[in-house]
Amino acid sequence: MTFMGVLTETSMNVTFPTLMKQFNISLATVQWVTTGYLLMVALLTITSAFLKRRFTNKQLFVSAACLFIAGDVMCGLATTYWVLLVGRIIQAGCVGLSGPLMNNIILDVVPPHKLGTYMGMANLIVLVAPALGPTFGGAVVAFASWRMIFWITVPLTLILLVLGMLIIKQYAPTQHYEFDWLRFGLLAVGLVSLLMGFNVMGQPHSWGKFVAYLVLSIAMFSLFGWRSKYSHKALFKLAVFKRPAFLFSFLPYILLQYSNIGINFMLPSYVQMVNGASSFIGGLILLPGSVLNGLGQPIYGWMLDHLGGKIPLYLGNTLFLIPLILFTIFGQHISILNIVILYTIFAAGRSMAFGNSMAYGLKKLGKTERNDANAIYGTGNMVAGSLGTTIIATLMTSLTLPHFSVAQNVAAGSQLAFGMLGLIGILNFWLFKKLFQNS
């Protein structure tokens, strides 16, 4: 079910040029199909520690499937962009519930010395879906209609719903908790404000709005932190941030996800808007790298379990950084073949470092801390993905040099985005060094 949710999320990236024409909207507006989706997933993931203790695994799974199907139908019938967006937000409930559920079941039944391998298997599912998503979406748009992305997945999801009801078991007793609506509301407003701020940043004369959104976001996060010191209601515990093993694995984890979602959005749009490729080619360029490295996840997890953290994390980040440096240098003139080769290397490194950052952190935490840590990893994952799409979209369209064509301006804006992602790769080396020093 998580695979289906991530598949439809990433398949929409290659439909953006088509949706922009059909609904007469800008790139900054259409990207909310992805950003809004990831934001809703983040908001639900915030609650996953509470939901795990309050509801059964089967109840959460059935709810995820029903939200996915409802969103599918609404998106498939959408006659305006805003109906499509609401349908996507409803559909996001699937991944918001099923993704953390998958990880929590693994944490319930798998011993720590095998955790890297099994988390690698979970990451395989989550990473193969983004690999197939752009190709699936590009093929559907090229040979049918973007609406078929949703109609094709309805019968598959119905089958998964029946299988899940028969197979999924309960491994821990549930308890009645009072949910902390105040802290949830503060965090939700803070996250929405943060994303809105970055979304308006690229618009003309928008710095005042950007600062206002940013101040509101900081205020909400500060109130959330203050309230967390005194609240005894269920949401998640911030105490895990005091653990260096969590903090210095969480930061590179979300930065790698930010980079991944950002570049997965950028490259299909780049080849269509700069190289003049079709939507099908736009989706196809990500397939080789994503499939190869999605399938490599169990191997990367085995490396963590048997070789320790330094080799997969340092090696992964090196492979992540080198293509970004080359993308930055040659950002205005990159052939489709070179994009495929560089993305394959990028995806290998990112995949190796990404899943193992979380698995290494979880290995160093006690069992009672893992549900809360899983909720924060998952929330940070989705928020970072939302920011990645928003900021990359802003950078891609930020330059309007008068002597440049539209394609040349997009290429120059993309070069700025590649440079920013390269700086993240450099920062990750320092974060991993701190992780190993303090764990």
Side-chain angles (χ1 to χ4, degrees), residues 160-241:
L160 293 175
L161 173 60
V162 174
L163 290 175
M165 292 176 68
L166 295 174
I167 293 171
I168 290 178
K169 300 177 182 178
Q170 188 65 26
Y171 301 99
T174 59
Q175 294 179 310
H176 286 275
Y177 288 93
E178 187 178 359
F179 186 67
D180 196 332
W181 286 103
L182 176 59
R183 281 201 298 157
F184 176 76
L186 291 171
L187 199 54
V189 173
L191 291 175
V192 172
S193 299
L194 183 65
L195 289 173
M196 289 297 293
F198 281 104
N199 192 54
V200 303
M201 187 173 62
Q203 300 173 9
H205 312 294
S206 61
W207 284 103
K209 292 181 181 179
F210 171 72
V211 172
Y213 278 124
L214 194 60
V215 169
L216 177 60
S217 181
I218 293 172
M220 292 299 102
F221 291 147
S222 299
L223 286 172
F224 173 82
W226 171 78
R227 179 62 186 169
S228 297
K229 296 179 180 179
Y230 306 102
S231 177
H232 299 289
K233 296 179 181 179
L235 187 58
F236 61 76
K237 299 173 183 176
L238 292 176
V240 290
F241 278 103

Side-chain angles (χ1 to χ4, degrees), residues 85-352:
L85 181 60
V86 172
R88 293 291 291 150
I89 290 172
I90 292 172
Q91 195 173 44
C94 169
V95 178
L97 294 176
S98 64
L101 175 63
M102 175 175 62
N103 288 333
N104 280 327
I105 289 176
I106 290 173
L107 294 174
D108 277 343
V109 300
V110 175
H113 68 278
K114 293 184 178 180
L115 198 56
T117 301
Y118 278 84
M119 292 302 290
M121 293 172 67
N123 287 325
L124 162 64
I125 295 167
V126 175
L127 288 173
V128 168
L132 298 178
T135 306
F136 170 64
V140 170
V141 171
F143 299 112
S145 163
W146 59 267
R147 298 179 188 276
M148 291 304 297
I149 291 172
F150 303 105
W151 295 121
I152 290 171
T153 52
V154 169
L156 296 174
T157 309
L158 289 170
I159 294 171
L160 293 175
L161 173 60
V162 174
L163 290 175
M165 292 176 68
L166 295 174
I167 293 171
I168 290 178
K169 300 177 182 178
Q170 188 65 26
Y171 301 99
T174 59
Q175 294 179 310
H176 286 275
Y177 288 93
E178 187 178 359
F179 186 67
D180 196 332
W181 286 103
L182 176 59
R183 281 201 298 157
F184 176 76
L186 291 171
L187 199 54
V189 173
L191 291 175
V192 172
S193 299
L194 183 65
L195 289 173
M196 289 297 293
F198 281 104
N199 192 54
V200 303
M201 187 173 62
Q203 300 173 9
H205 312 294
S206 61
W207 284 103
K209 292 181 181 179
F210 171 72
V211 172
Y213 278 124
L214 194 60
V215 169
L216 177 60
S217 181
I218 293 172
M220 292 299 102
F221 291 147
S222 299
L223 286 172
F224 173 82
W226 171 78
R227 179 62 186 169
S228 297
K229 296 179 180 179
Y230 306 102
S231 177
H232 299 289
K233 296 179 181 179
L235 187 58
F236 61 76
K237 299 173 183 176
L238 292 176
V240 290
F241 278 103
K242 297 179 181 179
R243 298 287 303 274
F246 172 78
L247 178 62
F248 292 113
S249 62
F250 173 75
L251 291 175
Y253 177 79
I254 62 173
L255 289 172
L256 288 164
Q257 177 66 348
Y258 167 90
S259 304
N260 180 60
I261 296 296
I263 208 166
N264 284 357
F265 160 77
M266 179 164 52
L267 292 180
S269 299
Y270 181 99
V271 297
Q272 292 178 75
M273 300 173 75
V274 177
N275 295 46
S278 67
S279 59
F280 179 66
I281 297 298
L284 198 62
I285 61 169
L286 304 182
L287 182 61
S290 298
V291 167
L292 285 174
N293 299 296
L295 294 175
Q297 279 299 307
I299 299 172
Y300 303 150
W302 179 91
M303 290 172 65
L304 180 69
D305 287 337
H306 292 83
L307 303 177
K310 288 187 177 181
I311 291 177
L313 292 180
Y314 281 140
L315 176 60
N317 198 58
T318 300
L319 295 174
F320 166 86
L321 178 59
I322 290 173
L324 290 173
I325 294 173
L326 295 174
F327 272 132
T328 303
I329 295 171
F330 302 105
Q332 295 193 42
H333 305 283
I334 316 175
S335 69
I336 292 176
L337 177 60
N338 285 333
I339 288 175
V340 172
I341 294 171
L342 290 176
Y343 178 76
T344 300
I345 299 170
F346 166 90
R350 180 263 171 191
S351 299
M352 188 183 299

